[in-house]
Amino acid sequence: MVEEKCPCPDLEVPLDDGIFVLSKTAQLWKYFPQTHDFELLGPADCGLAPSTFSMGVDREGFAWVQYSDMKLRKIDVTDTTQCSDPGFTPLQNGIENFGMAFVSNSADDKCDRIYGNHYNGVANGDMVSEFFSVDPETLAVVPHGLSDYGLAEVTGTGDGRAFLFAGPDPSVLVEVDKATGATIEVTPLPGVKTGGGFAFAFFGGDFYFFTDKESDSTSEVTHLDYDDSDGNGVQDLKVVVEDAPLRIVGAGVSTCAPLIPQ
């Protein structure tokens, strides 16, 4: 029997039943797509100023939280008081804050790594922002190419696909070639405004967008039926939560999360 590479652990806080979300004030929560409930897991207490920018969650149960000052910390999702410095050096290749997510290597190779898109203030254009990965051993930035969006978050899937949620308005969902950052497909998101903070994640075949369009410190949740699971021939876009109990700036789904509806 061949030993499985990068297996998903059985944790007290499961990696496959919801989306981890991060508040601007460095609190880690979990959102459950089936019920639209939120659960507070605890503060991301890393001894840093509580202002966060983005987040990704790996297959081992760690939330990698990026702070506004560009520092990166690893937080145990089962005990948020357990925080460590993984050794990532900010400002590599001149990259400041960036959208980030863990993406599996392929449908057959579930091992994952961080992919990032430089948040450089240029909304969109031809090859305007650095798209890269982070070497899982050395934590060195590995350039892949340039994306067409410089105000974007990143999410990934367990079968190796990478997507951007790009704003500000009108916002779009963009599948990118993770080897180059080039655009593969653009899906318009009419009515979805990024506002005072935004993030997104893929779960069970669909996308969930977290936006503070009113800049009132409470996020909305919008669901995109990306796989048309109801069979009506339309990728329905619907607000499913009007006022979340937090302003969400990061969302992370482990690549252990399901690819199809559960």
Side-chain angles (χ1 to χ4, degrees), residues 191-208:
V192 179
K193 297 182 179 181
T194 54
F198 68 103
F200 78 129
F202 177 88
F203 185 89
D206 293 341
F207 287 94
Y208 293 83

Side-chain angles (χ1 to χ4, degrees), residues 22-29 43-44 49-52 67 246-247 249:
L22 179 71
S23 77
K24 180 63 178 175
T25 55
Q27 289 185 325
L28 187 64
W29 293 66
S51 178
T52 54
Y67 287 77
L246 69 157
R247 177 184 173 190
V249 298

Side-chain angles (χ1 to χ4, degrees), residues 117-118 120 122-125 127-130 147-152 164 166-167 172 174 176 183 186:
N117 194 79
H118 188 193
N120 63 9
V122 181
N124 56 71
M127 302 175 68
V128 296
S129 184
E130 295 88 346
S147 79
D148 296 335
Y149 302 90
L151 294 175
L164 305 180
V172 291
V174 185
V176 296
T183 297
V186 177

Side-chain angles (χ1 to χ4, degrees), residues 221-242:
V221 184
T222 304
H223 168 238
L224 175 67
D225 183 13
Y226 188 72
D227 61 1
D228 187 25
S229 56
D230 63 6
N232 69 353
V234 179
Q235 292 177 317
D236 294 304
L237 188 66
K238 180 183 178 182
V239 175
V240 291
V241 177
E242 291 282 357

Side-chain angles (χ1 to χ4, degrees), residues 52-105:
T52 54
F53 188 83
S54 189
M55 177 182 68
V57 177
D58 66 21
R59 289 178 74 83
E60 297 180 347
F62 291 94
W64 293 59
V65 173
Q66 182 187 155
Y67 287 77
S68 299
D69 62 4
M70 297 177 283
K71 292 175 181 173
L72 202 60
R73 294 292 186 266
K74 276 178 69 173
I75 296 167
D76 189 334
V77 300
T78 66
D79 180 358
T80 64
T81 66
Q82 299 300 309
C83 176
S84 62
D85 181 354
F88 177 79
T89 302
L91 290 173
Q92 295 180 56
N93 294 24
I95 294 169
E96 300 176 312
N97 285 118
F98 53 92
M100 61 180 287
F102 280 85
V103 187
S104 287
N105 293 331

